[in-house]
């Protein structure tokens, strides 16, 4: 297995593939894997006024983070503008369309059960070899159906409050929030929104926080470092990930995380049941606080939620 733990998202040497699409360019970082085609990740960098037509998918989940720029969005007929720092999560059968308002808008993409990389390859094969077919309605009907995609008539948009369009996740938004010494966790995407495959958390983490996974486990992990600096030790390989970096950790790789500067991190892997664990942890704090001092009980408690953290502490 290739040990490609650290990905610098702005460095062409770390791109798997690069596509010139005319009104946008696409840089692929991670290709889909596993039965749920999860953790596929890429950047699309759009020209001003580029448009994604109003459409919906019969399968697959899309999570977009705006790293730079702003986007005019129509979601279920409702019109809002999404800005840098906002996230959009779009499940199947959710009609959506976009117009990119600024030159060089960075649309950071996380896919599940879509295989967008293969879709782009198919599109470029057709455009390069059979360009006339792109204007053939019968061919395009077949082409879109092969991607489980239905283009919709663009609605007359209804102006909406950003806080009332639940696909939009502002920096302040959370389904569930947990704060402890040096960590502020916000649940951005729940497992009920991904067919039970993953959760997505945003973490604001203070300098000196350490998390250790000294027990080999079966999960893939994927971290996106938005800002700050975080040291990783994966099976003895030590490196620092800073802003605009991905860290991709395969199963059964013991690792340690040490926060070198105050940092913002997205946990995009999200296979453990962290929301349920934290809910039940609060119950223990209130009703059975003595259990929190029993290491054997706490280990079994964590395993119930597929959590394999072996040590968490903050350096003084």
């Amino acid at each position: 297995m290739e040990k490609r733990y650290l990905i610098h998202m702005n460095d062409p040497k770390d791109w798997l593939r690069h596509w010139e699409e005319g009104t946008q360019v696409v840089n692929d970082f991670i290709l889909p894997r596993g039965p749920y085609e999860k953790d596929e990740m890429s950047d699309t960098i759009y020209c001003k006024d580029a448009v994604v037509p109003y459409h919906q998918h019969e399968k697959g989940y899309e999570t977009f983070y705006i790293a730079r720029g702003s986007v005019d969005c129509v979601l279920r007929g409702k019109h809002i503008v999404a800005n840098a720092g906002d996230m959009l999560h779009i499940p199947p059968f959710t009609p959506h369309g976009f117009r990119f308002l600024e030159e060089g808008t960075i649309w950071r993409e996380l896919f599940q059960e879509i295989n967008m990389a293969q879709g782009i390859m198919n599109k470029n094969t057709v455009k390069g070899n059979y360009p006339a077919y792109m204007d053939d309605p019968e061919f395009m009907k077949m082409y879109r159906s092969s991607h489980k995609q239905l283009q919709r008539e663009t609605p007359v948009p209804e102006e909406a409050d950003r806080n009332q369009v639940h696909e939009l996740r502002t920096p302040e938004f959370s389904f569930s929030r947990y704060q402890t010494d040096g960590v502020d966790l916000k649940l951005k995407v729940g497992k009920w929104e991904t067919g039970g495959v993953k959760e997505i958390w945003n973490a604001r983490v203070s300098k000196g926080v350490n998390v250790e996974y000294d027990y080999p486990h079966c999960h893939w992990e994927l971290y996106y470092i938005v800002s700050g600096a975080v040291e990783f030790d994966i099976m003895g390989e030590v490196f620092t990930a800073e802003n605009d970096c991905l860290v991709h950790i395969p199963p059964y790789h013991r690792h340690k995380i040490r926060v070198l500067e105050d940092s913002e991190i997205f946990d995009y892997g999200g296979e453990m049941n962290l929301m349920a664990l934290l809910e039940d942890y609060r119950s223990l704090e209130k009703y059975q606080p003595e259990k929190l001092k029993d290491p054997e009980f706490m280990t079994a408690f964590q395993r119930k939620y597929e959590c394999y953290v072996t040590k968490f502490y903050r350096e003084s």
Side-chain angles (χ1 to χ4, degrees):
M1 179 183 294
E2 180 186 7
K3 292 184 177 180
R4 190 170 179 265
Y5 305 134
L6 179 62
I7 301 168
H8 297 86
M9 303 166 87
N10 298 326
D11 188 342
K13 295 194 299 295
D14 284 358
W15 301 342
L16 291 179
R17 295 187 297 196
H18 171 78
W19 307 94
E20 295 281 351
E21 295 284 291
T23 57
Q24 70 263 18
V25 298
V26 180
N27 305 321
D28 288 333
F29 308 128
I30 301 171
L31 298 181
R33 56 169 183 75
Y36 299 107
E37 297 181 310
K38 69 185 289 285
D39 295 347
E40 179 182 6
M41 221 179 151
S42 59
D43 270 358
T44 297
I45 303 169
Y46 282 96
C47 298
K48 185 177 186 296
D49 292 325
V51 170
V52 174
Y54 196 65
H55 67 287
Q56 69 185 48
H57 305 279
E58 293 180 20
K59 65 185 288 287
Y61 303 82
E62 299 178 304
T63 307
F64 303 119
Y65 178 78
I66 304 172
R68 182 176 69 203
S70 56
V71 185
D72 200 78
C73 308
V74 179
L75 298 149
R76 295 177 290 107
K78 299 184 184 300
H79 172 244
I80 58 169
V81 174
N83 303 308
D86 287 338
M87 173 179 278
L88 294 161
H89 181 72
I90 302 175
F93 299 103
T94 304
H96 55 285
F98 308 110
R99 181 169 65 88
F100 296 85
L101 299 175
E102 299 179 41
E103 190 68 26
T105 293
I106 299 177
W107 192 240
R108 202 144 269 172
E109 304 165 320
L110 179 70
F111 299 113
Q112 177 191 319
E113 298 173 62
I114 284 184
N115 202 332
M116 184 62 72
Q118 183 64 53
I120 292 173
M121 184 179 292
N122 291 346
K123 179 177 69 174
N124 288 332
T125 297
V126 173
K127 287 173 66 176
N129 293 281
Y130 324 105
Y133 281 99
M134 300 300 288
D135 296 319
D136 182 330
E138 280 302 308
F139 178 85
M140 290 307 294
K141 181 179 178 181
M142 177 274 295
Y143 174 82
R144 291 194 182 98
S145 67
S146 71
H147 295 282
K148 303 297 183 185
Q149 175 181 311
L150 173 65
Q151 193 150 322
R152 300 276 303 273
E153 291 297 322
T154 302
V156 176
E158 174 189 338
E159 298 299 322
D161 184 324
R162 280 166 42 94
N163 295 317
Q164 294 177 348
V165 177
H166 68 254
E167 290 84 4
L168 176 70
R169 314 290 154 85
T170 65
E172 298 77 24
F173 171 88
S174 65
F175 283 117
S176 179
R177 188 172 184 180
Y178 183 81
Q179 295 172 288
T180 188
D181 185 27
V183 180
D184 183 358
L185 284 172
K186 295 178 182 177
L187 178 63
K188 295 292 187 178
V189 177
K191 284 201 172 184
W192 64 90
E193 300 182 291
T194 64
V197 171
K198 66 160 64 182
E199 302 172 343
I200 297 176
W201 290 81
N202 175 263
R204 302 273 180 161
V205 192
S206 300
K207 178 181 177 179
V209 167
N210 286 254
V211 186
E212 298 185 7
Y213 292 80
D214 199 29
Y215 184 89
H217 61 273
C218 61
H219 295 164
W220 285 82
E221 296 184 40
L222 176 60
Y223 299 101
Y224 163 35
I225 313 302
V226 179
S227 62
V230 183
E231 180 185 270
F232 287 81
D233 178 345
I234 304 175
M235 302 289 283
E237 184 175 326
V238 181
F239 58 86
T240 298
E242 298 178 312
N243 56 299
D244 293 325
C245 281
L246 294 174
V247 179
H248 199 208
I249 306 175
Y252 304 108
H253 281 54
R254 291 179 172 177
H255 56 281
K256 301 175 183 179
I257 300 170
R258 180 169 175 253
V259 180
L260 304 178
E261 301 174 3
D262 291 354
S263 300
E264 181 182 2
I265 305 167
F266 278 100
D267 180 356
Y268 275 159
E271 294 187 32
M272 77 171 79
N273 297 303
L274 185 56
M275 185 188 77
L277 183 153
L278 293 175
E279 284 183 355
D280 283 3
Y281 186 87
R282 288 192 178 107
S283 295
L284 287 175
E285 284 183 312
K286 183 172 183 178
Y287 298 113
Q288 296 178 291
E290 70 282 0
K291 294 285 191 182
L292 303 179
K293 299 176 182 179
D294 181 341
E296 187 174 334
F297 172 86
M298 290 306 298
T299 296
F301 173 79
Q302 288 178 242
R303 298 292 188 268
K304 181 170 67 170
Y305 299 103
E306 299 183 75
C307 174
Y308 297 97
V309 173
T310 54
K311 188 181 290 187
F312 172 88
Y313 62 97
R314 185 178 181 186
E315 299 167 358
S316 58

Short mmCIF file of all heavy atoms in Angstrom, two decimals, residues 64 66 133 190 197-198 262 314:
data_model
loop_
_atom_site.label_atom_id
_atom_site.label_comp_id
_atom_site.label_asym_id
_atom_site.label_seq_id
_atom_site.Cartn_x
_atom_site.Cartn_y
_atom_site.Cartn_z
N PHE A 64 -19.65 20.16 0.26
CA PHE A 64 -18.82 21.20 -0.31
C PHE A 64 -18.42 22.19 0.77
O PHE A 64 -19.26 22.63 1.56
CB PHE A 64 -19.57 21.96 -1.42
CG PHE A 64 -20.07 21.09 -2.53
CD1 PHE A 64 -21.43 21.01 -2.80
CD2 PHE A 64 -19.21 20.35 -3.31
CE1 PHE A 64 -21.91 20.22 -3.83
CE2 PHE A 64 -19.67 19.55 -4.34
CZ PHE A 64 -21.03 19.49 -4.61
N ILE A 66 -16.48 25.94 1.09
CA ILE A 66 -15.99 27.07 0.30
C ILE A 66 -14.74 27.61 0.99
O ILE A 66 -14.81 28.27 2.03
CB ILE A 66 -17.06 28.15 0.16
CG1 ILE A 66 -18.34 27.56 -0.46
CG2 ILE A 66 -16.55 29.32 -0.70
CD1 ILE A 66 -19.52 28.49 -0.46
N TYR A 133 -22.09 14.99 -29.89
CA TYR A 133 -23.09 14.33 -29.05
C TYR A 133 -23.47 15.16 -27.83
O TYR A 133 -24.53 14.95 -27.24
CB TYR A 133 -22.58 12.96 -28.61
CG TYR A 133 -22.72 11.90 -29.67
CD1 TYR A 133 -21.63 11.54 -30.46
CD2 TYR A 133 -23.93 11.24 -29.89
CE1 TYR A 133 -21.75 10.56 -31.44
CE2 TYR A 133 -24.05 10.27 -30.85
CZ TYR A 133 -22.95 9.93 -31.63
OH TYR A 133 -23.07 8.97 -32.60
N GLY A 190 -24.49 14.70 10.15
CA GLY A 190 -24.78 13.53 10.96
C GLY A 190 -24.84 12.26 10.14
O GLY A 190 -25.00 12.29 8.91
N VAL A 197 -22.92 6.11 7.08
CA VAL A 197 -21.51 5.81 6.76
C VAL A 197 -20.54 6.66 7.57
O VAL A 197 -19.51 6.17 8.01
CB VAL A 197 -21.27 6.00 5.25
CG1 VAL A 197 -19.78 5.91 4.91
CG2 VAL A 197 -22.04 4.94 4.47
N LYS A 198 -20.85 7.94 7.80
CA LYS A 198 -19.89 8.79 8.50
C LYS A 198 -20.57 10.00 9.12
O LYS A 198 -21.68 10.37 8.74
CB LYS A 198 -18.79 9.26 7.54
CG LYS A 198 -19.29 10.20 6.45
CD LYS A 198 -18.16 11.02 5.83
CE LYS A 198 -17.16 10.15 5.11
NZ LYS A 198 -16.06 10.93 4.55
N ASP A 262 -2.78 26.81 17.75
CA ASP A 262 -4.24 26.80 17.71
C ASP A 262 -4.67 26.52 16.27
O ASP A 262 -4.20 27.18 15.33
CB ASP A 262 -4.80 28.14 18.16
CG ASP A 262 -4.57 28.39 19.66
OD1 ASP A 262 -4.08 27.48 20.35
OD2 ASP A 262 -4.89 29.51 20.11
N ARG A 314 -3.85 17.51 27.39
CA ARG A 314 -3.33 18.80 26.95
C ARG A 314 -2.09 19.11 27.73
O ARG A 314 -2.07 19.08 28.96
CB ARG A 314 -4.37 19.91 27.14
CG ARG A 314 -3.92 21.25 26.57
CD ARG A 314 -5.00 22.30 26.73
NE ARG A 314 -4.57 23.58 26.16
CZ ARG A 314 -5.26 24.71 26.25
NH1 ARG A 314 -6.43 24.71 26.87
NH2 ARG A 314 -4.81 25.83 25.71
#
